[in-house]
Amino acid sequence: MAFFDFVDKVEYGTGKDYSFRYYDADKVVMGKKMSEWLPFAMAWWHNLGATGADMFGVGTADKTFGQVPGTMEHAKAKVDAGFEFMQKLGIKYFCFHDVDLVPEADDINVTNARLDEISDYILEKMKGTDIKCLWGTANMFGNPRFMNGAGSTNSADVYCFAAAQVKKALDITVKLGGQGYVFWGGREGYETLLNTDVKFEQENIARLMKMAVEYGRSIGFTGDFYIEPKPKEPMKHQYDFDAATAIGFLRQYGLDKDFKMNIEANHATLAGHTFQHELRISAINGMLGSIDANQGDLLLGWDTDEFPFDVYETTMAMYEVIKAGGLRNGGFNFDAKNRRPSYTFEDMFRAFILGMDSFALGLLKAAEIIEDGSIDNFIKEKYSSYNDGIGKKIVDGETSLEELSAYACSLKKPALPGSGRQEYLQYKVNNILFK
Ligand code: XUL
Ligand code: CO
């Protein structure tokens, strides 16, 4: 049974109502196909689950897919709808939380049996398609037991439930051939330090991650583990504040060989950073893993999870991705949802076409910026005083504070560093974006 009869396969350049203007999967850009630079993924939770319900009102979108929510028939109908959706858009990956796939039961044994059943169903569905699992994760923030966190909880029993969910979500991820496993620390943080032992909580989170790595590797998981940083929401303060904080945490606890970052655009905004900043910090530390491709709103202080449309932002993001040589096991997961008044199935397709085209255009523009060379040349020149003389000695570690001090004193007063030429570079970028 088809759910989306109003649309055929969405393709590049057909001029049809539902078509891509920029995303041309086989087009080669800087040595790789667009589809290789941009392994797009569908987020099970938003696309197949979210109805637009918010704190002030019930959902507007009907995601029942002809079945009764809370049943396995509904869970299977979501699989059917999801595969039709991905195939029509040419999306090759999906991402899931355990409880996106099946309704959670009161008894974890029942939930686990449901997960076995649905993963068999998905596996069957995957056969004969080129659709794969990008990453899996466990939802350790929705159930009331996680009110004080999962790895960071004060309750050892609840900690065991977190461990059990991670174990099962890893089992399912491996069963579906998933390339990644995500930890988003939704409730790993605090509301007040008056009742929180931060050190103990962080150590316990690290212990959970360490056990996850040990278990994952023991069952043949060769992909990457990811931390998805987010500074706040739902907690007032979350431990994985931003990429720099999360990378420091991973190094402190010896997890940096197995983990990378899953960078979400809107989380960067909440941390007071740009998306590009978070990608750069991850990349220079060898930690750029995967991307949750969405967009926030600078006027709002929460996670709006919009489909990306800001081409300036997607361009600068793709500039970082190209410079990093692409994502290895990662992809571009649309952790994004339609606005509440865009409640139709048509809107779901429109949203993905917008997001995919925004990143495709960003890729094309980023490649042009790199080929133009103005930025690279400027940056090379900017630091050229380190290419020889005293500068080279500094970089080679062949000098001392005494020598540098003597050098400074001999100069009496340095010339000002060269101009930053920001406006010139912004002009260059605009000329490429809007030519
Ligand atoms: C929440 C968020 C999550 C993670 C997976 O802000 O981004 O959906 O991506 O748990
Ligand atoms: Co996310």
Side-chain angles (χ1 to χ4, degrees):
M1 170 185 165
F3 296 96
F4 311 113
D5 279 328
F6 55 89
V7 59
D8 301 326
K9 200 160 171 23
V10 180
E11 281 165 331
Y12 166 75
T14 61
K16 286 189 192 163
D17 191 18
Y18 291 90
S19 63
F20 298 116
R21 169 105 189 263
Y22 301 103
Y23 182 63
D24 181 4
D26 291 331
K27 184 185 170 79
V28 174
V29 181
M30 299 202 100
K32 270 200 253 189
K33 286 185 186 172
M34 266 198 176
S35 57
E36 291 167 331
W37 284 117
L38 295 166
F40 291 122
M42 177 190 77
W44 212 269
W45 52 104
H46 282 312
N47 205 45
L48 304 173
T51 58
D54 66 15
M55 258 135 47
F56 301 96
V58 297
T60 54
D62 182 353
K63 300 269 174 85
T64 55
F65 301 111
Q67 300 294 338
V68 180
T71 63
M72 284 306 282
E73 287 70 34
H74 180 234
K76 287 178 185 167
K78 281 164 68 180
V79 177
D80 297 343
F83 273 74
E84 183 190 339
F85 187 84
M86 289 185 278
Q87 281 175 302
K88 286 195 162 161
L89 280 160
I91 289 183
K92 303 280 164 52
Y93 294 93
F94 61 87
C95 301
F96 69 88
H97 299 83
D98 45 3
V99 302
D100 303 329
L101 299 182
V102 293
E104 192 175 10
D106 272 347
D107 176 346
I108 193 171
N109 297 290
V110 176
T111 310
N112 284 348
R114 290 177 181 173
L115 283 168
D116 291 337
E117 186 183 340
I118 204 73
S119 50
D120 283 344
Y121 190 75
I122 295 175
L123 212 50
E124 200 48 44
K125 200 93 197 173
M126 286 165 79
K127 280 191 191 145
T129 76
D130 50 3
I131 292 175
K132 301 192 246 328
C133 171
L134 187 68
W135 53 256
T137 187
N139 177 324
M140 305 195 292
F141 42 87
N143 192 298
R145 63 177 170 261
F146 296 122
M147 63 175 72
N148 292 339
S152 64
T153 182
N154 58 306
S155 159
D157 284 359
V158 171
Y159 189 97
C160 295
F161 273 76
Q165 276 187 249
V166 171
K167 176 178 179 294
K168 192 69 188 172
L170 270 165
D171 287 338
I172 303 297
T173 301
V174 170
K175 177 172 169 183
L176 298 177
Q179 300 173 191
Y181 186 87
V182 164
F183 280 88
W184 170 58
R187 296 201 191 266
E188 314 289 34
Y190 60 80
E191 295 297 322
T192 172
L193 289 174
L194 292 176
N195 65 13
T196 308
D197 184 340
V198 173
K199 185 168 187 288
F200 181 74
E201 290 196 358
Q202 293 202 345
E203 285 167 358
N204 260 359
I205 294 170
R207 287 182 189 108
L208 182 61
M209 290 180 172
K210 207 162 213 124
M211 287 186 275
V213 170
E214 280 163 12
Y215 179 72
R217 299 306 181 213
S218 80
I219 60 167
F221 177 63
T222 53
D224 292 320
F225 288 87
Y226 304 118
I227 282 184
E228 182 177 324
K230 186 177 183 183
K232 59 185 170 189
E233 196 203 22
M235 300 304 269
K236 178 176 165 182
H237 182 100
Q238 280 163 211
Y239 295 135
D240 301 325
F241 190 94
D242 60 2
T245 310
I247 292 167
F249 170 87
L250 292 173
R251 289 192 178 141
Q252 180 176 355
Y253 293 104
L255 292 159
D256 49 311
K257 297 286 171 287
D258 294 282
F259 274 81
K260 290 186 165 39
M261 295 295 112
N262 181 39
I263 295 299
E264 177 163 324
N266 203 161
H267 296 177
T269 310
L270 294 177
H273 299 310
T274 60
F275 184 22
Q276 187 184 7
H277 168 95
E278 288 293 84
L279 295 172
R280 177 74 62 92
I281 295 299
S282 305
I284 62 173
N285 285 287
M287 287 278 178
L288 179 55
S290 200
I291 287 176
D292 269 11
N294 63 12
Q295 191 181 309
D297 188 316
L298 294 177
L299 300 181
L300 301 175
W302 62 92
D303 204 6
T304 59
D305 281 347
E306 294 175 46
F307 277 86
F309 61 85
D310 180 340
V311 176
Y312 197 101
E313 194 164 81
T314 57
T315 299
M316 298 326 290
M318 290 316 296
Y319 175 85
E320 297 302 322
V321 171
I322 295 175
K323 288 274 179 188
L327 305 174
R328 201 169 58 98
N329 285 322
F332 292 75
N333 169 45
F334 287 111
D335 192 355
K337 59 188 182 209
N338 283 100
R339 298 305 85 195
R340 192 165 180 266
S342 306
Y343 60 91
T344 69
F345 282 173
E346 286 82 356
D347 290 310
M348 286 161 61
F349 278 84
R350 301 279 181 209
F352 271 75
I353 292 170
L354 169 69
M356 292 165 77
D357 255 356
S358 297
F359 269 95
L361 182 53
L363 170 66
L364 294 170
K365 293 293 171 185
E368 278 188 60
I369 290 173
I370 292 169
E371 274 155 6
D372 167 79
S374 300
I375 293 181
D376 279 341
N377 291 339
F378 175 75
I379 288 178
K380 210 166 149 210
E381 178 58 28
K382 181 177 176 189
Y383 299 96
S384 61
S385 70
Y386 292 91
N387 291 350
D388 43 40
I390 195 76
K392 186 158 190 327
K393 281 185 144 185
I394 293 170
V395 173
D396 292 345
E398 282 169 0
T399 185
S400 65
L401 221 50
E402 293 95 312
E403 186 182 15
L404 299 186
S405 167
Y407 179 87
C409 292
S410 74
L411 284 184
K412 296 198 179 85
K413 187 179 174 185
L416 286 178
S419 163
R421 302 186 79 189
Q422 182 171 331
E423 298 78 3
Y424 160 75
L425 294 168
Q426 287 167 331
Y427 170 85
K428 282 285 194 190
V429 170
N430 273 359
N431 285 353
I432 289 171
L433 282 181
F434 300 108
K435 72 177 183 205

